[in-house]
Structures are given as C-alpha cells and as structure tokens.
C-alpha cells in the first residue's frame, strides 16, 4: 500500500520511540530478541505486531511470498507432444501391425519388383487382394510419415517448437492432414504418369513391371523414413540429421526406380533425349511443386490458416 510505504519512510523516529517504549514496557528480552532467519527488515515479527490502527500504520505490509508464486508459461505444443498427431501415427502403425502376415509376403517379392525385368513370372509369385490391401496400407504409411517429415522440415529451426494452436485456429493435426493429402496426390500423379508413359512407349508387361517398381520403391521409402521420423519426433535436437537421412533415402529409392525405367526404355542414343525429358518432367518439377505447395499450406496461403 503506498500510504503505508510513505508512513514507514517518514515516521522512522516515531517507530524508534515506539520500540523504546515497548522495550521499557516488556523488558530487555523484546529489544534483544534475534530476528528470524531471512525475515525482511520492514516486516514486523510476532512480538512486534501492532495493536491498533495507529500502530499498524507505522509498518509496511505486503502479501507473503507463497501467495505471489511464479507466473507459469504455457508448454509449447510440438508434433511429438500433440495427441492428435501422435494418434494418427499410432493408428497407422497399428493397422500395419494387424496386417503383418500379408505385408511380410509382400516384402518377399520386393527385391524382384525393384530391379528384375524377367519376362516370365515366377511360378510361386501370388498377386491377390491381400497384396493390394498391403500396398494400400504401406502407401498410406508413406504419405502420412512424409507429411510429418515435411512439417518438421518446414518448421522454423528444423523443429516444431513454437507451432501450437496459433493463426486462425489451425492445429498440427489439420496441417498434417493437408500435407498427407498433398503427398497422396503426388503419388497418384506419379502412378498416372508411369501408366501413361508405359502405355505409350512399351508393351504391357514392361509397363506393369515399371508400375510395380514404383510401388516397390515407395514401400521401401516408407520403411526407410519410419525410424528417422520417430527419432525426430521424440528427440527434436536430432531433427536436422534425421531429415538428411530421410532425404538420402528418398534419393536412393528414386535412383533405383529411375535406373529400372532406363533399363526398360533405353533403345539407343535417341532414347537419352526422352530420358532427359522424363527426368526433368517427372523427377525434378513435381517434387519442387510439392515442396512449394507444402510451404504454402504451412503459411496459410492456400487453405486459409497460418501455422508460423
């Protein structure tokens, strides 16, 4: 209280006289009593407690420290601590775990789909509806995990510190959903482009082998980025390194796929011209467009909200 502070600063002689009178009234034990440890000099002890309003005006009063406390700060919501984002990731992993038996069979044919150009199929190869379902789940895993990695990459300082529910009510889960839709559209574009080129420039068998190579490389990429994504979520300090590992995995799988396509379509020196056009049109421009769209989504330039 300001009045009490002024009284305590302007009435020092009165306070001294009051203490002398109290000492004479209650004895020397009051005057010589040691103060409690850490007791402020402007706060009276229990023995010095004022008896009436006039005496209370001689002392400065303030609330005890335990009533003031420390002002808390809100916890930063990151992709690794956001319950909705983690729910999406756990849901994908659970679906994969429930279909482990069928996915294991798919992995048996993965090396052949990645590289082989044998025209006669293996007698033990089986292509069933279970394989289609396994491919769908693994491509979904690729789209969701790629969306999370894009989120981690486009965040400031390489992590999601400072994101949270800011902007126009956008949450991390909504951003992950939009990025998943973008990565899924990119995969469908690749599948359509591969089917069109295979139909126009080669026979149906080679076209089917090239499409299976696209699926196999996508499935392999989904497995390669799973561990780096989990490490980046729970150890934000390693995000930059995990992004580099994921980028290396993407480049490696795309090189394998491009090499298989080169082996299918190469017919002479003139084929190199078509190969260069293919690389520019399907391996450089679409990923660049994907990155631009993902950055625009995070900045709120497309869907109307701002993340950072």
């Amino acid at each position: 209280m300001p009045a009490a502070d002024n009284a305590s600063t302007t009435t020092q002689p009165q306070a001294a006289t009051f203490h002398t009178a109290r000492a004479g009234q209650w004895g020397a034990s009051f005057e010589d009593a040691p103060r409690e440890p850490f007791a402020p000099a402007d706060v009276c002890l229990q023995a010095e407690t004022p008896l009436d309003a006039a005496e209370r005006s001689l002392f400065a009063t303030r609330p005890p420290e335990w009533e003031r406390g420390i002002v808390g700060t809100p916890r930063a919501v990151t992709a690794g601590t956001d319950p909705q984002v983690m729910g999406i990731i756990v849901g994908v992993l659970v679906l994969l775990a429930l279909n482990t038996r069928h996915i294991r069979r798919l992995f048996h044919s993965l090396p052949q789909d990645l590289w082989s150009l044998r025209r006669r199929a293996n007698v033990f190869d089986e292509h069933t509806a279970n394989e289609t379902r396994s491919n769908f789940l693994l491509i979904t895993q690729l789209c969701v995990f790629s969306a999370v990695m894009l989120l981690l990459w486009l965040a400031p300082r390489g992590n999601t510190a400072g994101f949270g529910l800011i902007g126009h009510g956008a949450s991390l889960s909504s951003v992950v959903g939009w990025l998943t839709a973008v990565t899924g559209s990119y995969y469908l574009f690749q599948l359509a482009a591969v089917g069109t080129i295979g139909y126009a420039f080669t026979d149906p068998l080679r076209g089917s082998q090239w499409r299976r190579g696209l699926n196999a490389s996508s499935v392999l990429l989904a497995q390669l980025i799973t561990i780096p994504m989990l490490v980046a979520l729970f150890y934000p300090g390693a995000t930059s390194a995990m992004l580099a590992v994921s980028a290396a995995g993407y480049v490696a799988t795309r090189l394998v796929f491009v090499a298989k396509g080169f082996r299918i379509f190469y017919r002479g020196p003139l084929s190199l011209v078509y190969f260069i056009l293919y690389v520019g049109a399907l391996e450089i421009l679409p990923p660049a467009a994907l990155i631009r769209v993902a950055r625009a989504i995070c900045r709120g330039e497309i869907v109307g909200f701002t993340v950072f």
Side-chain angles (χ1 to χ4, degrees):
M1 299 174 58
D5 294 338
N6 294 335
S8 62
T9 56
T10 58
T11 58
Q12 295 296 334
Q14 298 179 13
T17 305
F18 171 76
H19 287 302
T20 304
R22 283 291 178 86
Q25 179 181 357
W26 292 339
S29 59
F30 168 77
E31 186 176 10
D32 299 334
R35 299 187 65 82
E36 297 179 5
F38 309 107
D42 57 345
V43 176
C44 63
L45 302 178
Q46 183 177 6
E48 303 169 339
T49 304
L51 301 180
D52 52 28
E55 294 178 352
R56 285 197 298 270
S57 63
L58 300 177
F59 295 92
T61 59
R62 62 183 180 184
E65 295 296 330
W66 59 268
E67 289 185 356
R68 298 168 60 184
I70 301 175
V71 179
T73 56
R75 185 185 66 173
V77 179
T78 65
T81 59
D82 186 83
Q84 295 177 342
V85 175
M86 294 306 300
I88 295 173
I89 295 173
V90 171
V92 172
L93 295 177
V94 168
L95 289 176
L96 294 175
L98 293 177
N99 293 270
T100 303
R101 182 166 58 90
H102 305 300
I103 292 175
R104 191 187 308 117
R105 292 180 181 178
L106 182 64
F107 284 160
H108 290 164
S109 61
L110 192 64
Q112 179 180 349
D113 292 339
L114 276 173
W115 192 252
S116 176
L117 293 179
R118 187 175 58 181
R119 301 192 67 91
R120 183 174 299 175
N122 194 331
V123 69
F124 297 104
D125 291 344
E126 54 175 326
H127 306 295
T128 64
N130 290 331
E131 180 182 354
T132 303
R133 181 176 63 184
S134 300
N135 267 318
F136 176 78
L137 290 176
L138 292 170
I139 297 302
T140 301
Q141 175 191 7
L142 173 64
C143 294
V144 173
F145 291 0
S146 299
V148 175
M149 295 305 289
L150 284 173
L151 178 66
L152 295 173
W153 179 38
L154 295 173
R157 299 175 298 280
N159 55 53
T160 55
F163 268 56
L165 306 178
I166 59 179
H168 300 284
S171 62
L172 290 180
S173 58
S174 63
V175 178
V176 171
W178 280 103
L179 293 178
T180 301
V182 170
T183 53
S185 301
Y186 173 65
Y187 170 77
L188 293 178
F189 167 79
Q190 286 183 308
L191 192 62
V194 167
T196 302
I197 295 175
Y199 175 80
F201 293 98
T202 188
D203 58 88
L205 177 61
R206 293 302 190 195
S208 175
Q209 289 177 337
W210 201 30
R211 288 194 302 272
R212 295 182 68 85
L214 173 64
N215 289 331
S217 62
S218 301
V219 168
L220 179 60
L221 177 60
Q223 311 315 308
L224 292 178
I225 68 174
T226 298
I227 299 300
M229 182 208 64
L230 294 175
V231 173
L233 286 177
F234 297 109
Y235 299 94
T239 300
S240 299
M242 295 301 102
L243 288 172
V245 172
S246 299
Y250 173 79
V251 172
T253 54
R254 297 310 296 181
L255 287 177
V256 173
F257 173 68
V258 170
K260 184 174 183 178
F262 183 80
R263 294 168 59 206
I264 290 175
F265 294 102
Y266 181 74
R267 296 292 184 271
L270 185 61
S271 301
L272 294 177
V273 178
Y274 294 103
F275 177 74
I276 294 174
L277 293 176
Y278 156 74
V279 171
L282 296 181
E283 300 297 335
I284 296 178
L285 294 180
L290 171 66
I291 294 172
R292 288 182 62 89
V293 172
R295 182 178 290 112
I297 288 175
C298 292
R299 292 179 177 176
E301 299 173 359
I302 292 182
V303 293
F305 53 72
T306 303
V307 180
F308 61 86

